[in-house]
Amino acid sequence: MPETKFTKDHEWVRLDGGVAVIGITDHAQNALGDVVFVDLPEVGREVAAGEAIAVVESVKAASDVYAPIAGKIVAVNGGLADNPGAINAAPTTDGWFFKIEPADAAEVAALMDEAAYAAFVDTLA
Amino acid sequence: MADSTESILETPLASLHRELGGRMVPFAGYAMPVQYPAGIMAEHLHCRAAASLFDVSHMGQAELVGEGAAAALERATPADVQGLKPGRQRYGLLTTDDGGILDDFMVANLGDRLFLVVNASRKHLDLPRIESLLPAGVALKPLPDRALVALQGPQAVAAIATLAPGIAELSFMGVGTFTIAGVTALVSRSGYTGEDGVEVSVAAEDAERFARALLALPGVLPAGLGARDSLRLEAGLCLYGNDIDETTSAVEAALTWTIGKRRRTEWNFPGAERVRDELANGTKRLRVGIRPDGRQPARGHTPVHAPGSDAVGEITSGGFGPSLNGPMAMGYVARDHAADGTALELMVRGKPLAARIAPMPFVAHRYAR
């Protein structure tokens, strides 16, 4: 399995055949609590790195999800409409949000690796 | 910004919350558990299915003593306090001189005194206000050294009655003093979840021992402020500061029922002029229930529009109802858009979300009437 990368906005990014699969981390889903709804971007949309492109709603609050890299949205996880709880139950697998065809694959390589993200999360405690 | 480490207060149950894994957040100046490890959804559903223990010790407790205490309190509220029988409690509003809502509160007649519970965020205003209106011989005694817990849910009364059987005899809004697990406790059969249950005032020094005794009862689990908020919203109950404030009147807030019948002939409460005019001529806006179509919640401050048209109001509380299994909200809309079933659009992040006016409560109350 290719290496999973992470952002300071608590997204994970995994390259799969040249396409970046993106979701929120276990830390993020735990902080949000029970997810009840997600608002996903339109397929085909060109997004900039750092742009707020999705919203995840828990019982308590709404939170933005950002594009970790620039590129084009090529797929979204339609299964989340009926089963948003997958984000809590399996944040890094079934709970993926969207796929981006990267404008520059080097942007993915520049993100934090798992150890760096774990160290970052520790600084938040 | 204020130095939060200096000003944040704790309730007598703070160390118990931490031991139970509570996620502590600042609320009305207090460090309070928003949830425990089970999470808001599970805590909410448990309360509707069994019994949940909430710490509401941040709320303000006080006693009013002296000859004519009930008449004196009526100087601050349109509630019928003088007609409140011993052993009974009532929900009411403290009103401002221009007819806004200073706070919502509970008042109980304990026979020799009145017992008040007001909101944490408003107690610094409520108590001086009441005090300023008191005649000689009536005294307000704040009770900062008392804790308050709520045990709520269909199994709550049966559970606590194993420790004090008399509690089962209380009817909704009945009040009595009991000895529970060796602790002297003032118990009212009330709450703010829409469920049957009790709110219990105990001395701060007894609070942790008392809470542990309740948590040891079968079916009782702790629940935090997050579940308390989704439960009260499903029950159609107002949160002060969101749904009611100094700009809203009792009539606009659909809380006219808290104004005593006698008080509506005397018109001698603060803001009576506005209330009287609104009852006679109607208000421009009304507090209503709103159900968004689909699953997407609309939160507080979301603008409410007529379909494809102008703004007609604003959401004041909104979220997802775990028992309703769908989004729900309350807010204020112009009177001609307030009828049940009226179609609306909620502007969520700039996009219209279809919704309808819906009756409240969203989840039926189950009080022991």
Side-chain angles (χ1 to χ4, degrees):
Chain A
M1 192 188 268
E3 189 189 9
T4 304
K5 297 286 199 167
F6 298 87
T7 73
K8 288 189 173 180
D9 296 316
H10 305 286
E11 287 116 13
W12 56 263
V13 183
R14 196 161 52 230
L15 280 173
D16 179 10
V19 169
V21 186
I22 292 148
I24 65 170
T25 64
D26 187 61
H27 172 83
Q29 72 77 20
N30 187 50
L32 287 171
D34 306 292
V35 175
V36 296
F37 180 82
V38 271
D39 194 4
L40 295 170
E42 280 173 33
V43 172
R45 176 171 159 189
E46 297 281 349
V47 298
E51 189 181 347
I53 59 169
V55 176
V56 55
E57 299 256 9
S58 69
V59 175
K60 195 165 172 46
S63 305
D64 286 318
V65 178
Y66 303 92
I69 54 168
K72 187 167 83 174
I73 304 289
V74 292
V76 297
N77 185 354
L80 296 178
D82 290 329
N83 185 21
I87 293 163
N88 298 112
T92 57
T93 54
D94 292 349
W96 66 277
F97 277 54
F98 43 77
K99 297 182 183 181
I100 294 180
E101 189 178 276
D104 176 5
E107 269 197 293
V108 178
L111 298 173
M112 285 184 281
D113 63 16
E114 190 163 5
Y117 177 67
F120 170 68
V121 167
D122 281 346
T123 66
L124 306 177
Chain B
M1 241 168 79
D3 184 347
S4 60
T5 56
E6 203 165 66
S7 58
I8 197 92
L9 301 170
E10 291 193 336
T11 77
L13 296 178
S15 61
L16 178 60
H17 296 315
R18 293 196 172 91
E19 179 186 317
L20 294 170
R23 187 179 294 174
M24 307 303 279
V25 299
F27 179 83
Y30 287 78
M32 298 298 290
V34 65
Q35 63 167 84
Y36 298 90
I40 295 172
M41 185 87 84
E43 290 167 24
H44 176 118
L45 295 172
H46 183 80
C47 181
R48 294 253 185 264
S52 295
L53 183 70
F54 301 83
D55 179 15
V56 287
S57 301
H58 56 309
M59 299 187 81
Q61 302 179 63
E63 287 179 348
L64 203 56
V65 293
E67 188 82 25
L73 185 58
E74 286 189 355
R75 296 179 179 187
T77 174
D80 180 358
V81 185
Q82 296 187 69
L84 186 63
K85 294 188 171 68
R88 301 296 301 166
Q89 178 174 268
R90 183 164 280 166
Y91 173 80
L93 304 175
L94 299 172
T95 47
T96 66
D97 291 334
D98 53 9
I101 300 174
L102 184 72
D103 200 3
D104 57 345
F105 77 118
M106 289 284 194
V107 53
N109 182 348
L110 304 185
D112 60 346
R113 62 200 193 278
L114 298 175
F115 174 72
L116 311 180
V117 179
V118 302
N119 278 302
S121 61
R122 304 295 289 176
K123 58 188 175 188
H124 67 291
L125 296 171
D126 299 339
L127 300 185
R129 163 75 167 175
I130 292 168
E131 200 149 42
S132 73
L133 298 171
L134 297 180
V138 179
L140 182 70
K141 293 184 184 170
L143 301 170
D145 296 327
R146 293 192 71 82
L148 190 68
V149 299
L151 187 67
Q152 299 281 295
Q155 294 173 15
V157 168
I160 196 170
T162 61
L163 303 175
I167 292 173
E169 309 299 314
L170 294 174
S171 63
F172 181 61
M173 290 292 197
V175 181
T177 300
F178 299 85
T179 301
I180 305 168
V183 173
T184 303
L186 177 62
V187 179
S188 72
R189 194 157 187 175
S190 65
Y192 219 60
T193 60
E195 295 296 325
D196 188 13
V198 291
E199 290 198 347
V200 187
S201 171
V202 299
E205 63 198 39
D206 294 331
E208 187 174 323
R209 184 159 57 99
F210 180 71
R212 286 183 191 278
L214 296 187
L215 287 169
L217 296 169
V220 177
L221 291 175
L225 288 182
R228 187 171 161 82
D229 190 51
S230 53
L231 288 158
R232 70 92 196 165
L233 185 51
E234 281 186 344
L237 301 171
C238 292
L239 174 63
Y240 192 91
N242 281 37
D243 310 308
I244 48 177
D245 59 30
E246 291 191 23
T247 70
T248 59
S249 75
V251 185
E252 290 176 328
L255 294 172
T256 307
W257 62 271
T258 68
I259 305 175
K261 199 176 277 182
R262 171 176 52 82
R263 308 305 307 279
R264 278 183 244 181
T265 61
E266 297 171 346
W267 303 111
N268 59 355
F269 53 86
E273 207 169 297
R274 174 175 172 184
V275 168
R276 190 174 190 172
D277 173 72
E278 288 178 348
L279 286 174
N281 303 312
T283 59
K284 288 198 179 71
R285 59 176 183 171
L286 277 173
R287 184 175 65 91
V288 292
I290 297 170
R291 299 236 13 216
D293 292 355
R295 305 274 299 173
Q296 183 171 14
R299 311 284 175 177
H301 305 297
T302 299
V304 178
H305 286 242
S309 183
D310 296 337
V312 296
E314 189 181 82
I315 286 178
T316 51
S317 285
F320 190 87
S323 301
L324 191 65
N325 192 27
M328 59 180 173
M330 66 168 84
Y332 287 83
V333 298
R335 191 165 38 153
D336 23 334
H337 296 270
D340 284 346
T342 304
L344 303 165
E345 279 175 357
L346 312 177
M347 300 305 287
V348 179
R349 295 179 287 274
K351 284 188 282 188
L353 172 64
R356 282 182 192 281
I357 302 288
M360 291 190 287
F362 300 113
V363 171
H365 295 161
R366 295 194 289 183
Y367 303 137
R369 292 200 188 269

